Amino acid sequence: MEHLVSSWYNDRSLPESYILPPEDRPGMLSPGKNIPVVDLGAHDQTDILQQILEASQEFGMFQVINHGVPSNVIDEAMSVFKEFHALSAEDKAIETSKDPNKSCYVYTSTHNYATEKFHFWRDGLFHHCNPLEKYIQFWPEKPPKYREVVAIYTAALRKVGFRILEFIAQGLGVNPDHFSSELGENQTLLVNHYPPCPDPSLTLGLGKHRDPVVINILLQSDVYGLEVFKDEEWIGVEPIPYAFVVTLGALMRIISNGKLKGAEHRVVTNSNLVRTTASFALNPFNETLIEPAKALVDASNPALYKSFSYKDFIIKYRAAASYGTAFGEFLSGTPD
Ligand SMILES: O=C(O)CCC(=O)C(=O)O
Ligand SMILES: [Fe+2]
């Protein structure tokens, strides 16, 4: 808690523990490249499905526009997210300590702060979202509109998430409802905050990683920072007003039996602007079994991954992530 970047960054140069080895620092981007933008408001559903499938196969990441979430809902959410991160460290601690089971908390860098070799220039507010009546009582009450605004925002994002998952399920050739029960019903929100950084060339807001989720719907602010790794090159994800960045998570690789992969991505910092983003993730419940969809497995297509619970996956993900500089290359093979 006392480590939150936002509590001390103003008076300091970049501490040594944030200085990454040269090979992990921000570098050249692949010129002129960008990730696909899918118009969810288009009439031709087959065309939308095709675009989502291709973007998922090629990049594991795409932006969506005309997704149906009103711009005022997005604006209000972004403003309470910013207001929360502008609170004092003491207020942040009070506002996130309402649940003894810690379904709501703040942290900095990664979940492995105590053991990681290097830190990242990011604070995060995390909480569960579904079922709302179970979790909303543990959400912050400062700023005063946080609960009301974020309840509306997360309900809208849940719809967008399931609509995209339905397209992906159809594209894969599995039941369109494949993700709509346990696999996506554990929804969480992670509000990232990257204060201005004294030396963006030496550090990152978040190291290269795949999200430990099924799918992530990110509200990027108007400040650049997100980059995706494809064909050994980094591609910048240009902020588009009111768009969401959809990222396939690491679990998609298992569920699709290797047909789709989670996108590897990272976040760069900048020296004069605050950047606030919000990752709304659709996850399985702790005890849910993650395994290749049955419809994708037969005698000529054997299961490439064993089944295991989401809880086991998270334990392994975090253990793997405490080695190396970033979150590691987790899930290039079967977790054992
Ligand atoms: O802040 C961003 O642009 C991306 C954040 C991210 O990668 C994450 O929350 O997993
Ligand atoms: Fe991520």
Side-chain angles (χ1 to χ4, degrees), residues 26-49:
M28 292 273 291
L29 293 179
S30 182
K33 293 220 176 114
N34 220 322
I35 62 167
V37 179
V38 179
D39 181 354
L40 288 181
H43 282 297
D44 187 342
Q45 301 298 299
T46 318
D47 192 36
I48 298 178
L49 191 157

Side-chain angles (χ1 to χ4, degrees), residues 9-20:
Y9 76 95
N10 254 334
D11 358 299
R12 309 240 329 235
S13 57
L14 191 69
E16 196 139 339
S17 56
Y18 287 79
I19 301 179
L20 297 170

Side-chain angles (χ1 to χ4, degrees), residues 61 107 122 190-194 206-207 209-212 216 218-221 223-227 245 247 265-268 275-280 317 327:
M61 189 186 268
Y107 67 115
R122 178 285 290 256
L190 170 57
V191 183
N192 297 300
H193 174 74
Y194 311 90
L206 267 183
H209 68 283
R210 292 192 175 94
D211 295 336
N216 212 335
L218 175 85
L219 175 60
Q220 205 186 184
S221 60
V223 181
Y224 176 82
L226 179 62
E227 300 181 346
V245 181
T247 305
H265 54 285
R266 70 177 181 190
V267 177
V268 298
R275 182 166 183 268
T276 304
T277 69
S279 294
F280 178 80
Y317 177 91
F327 290 70

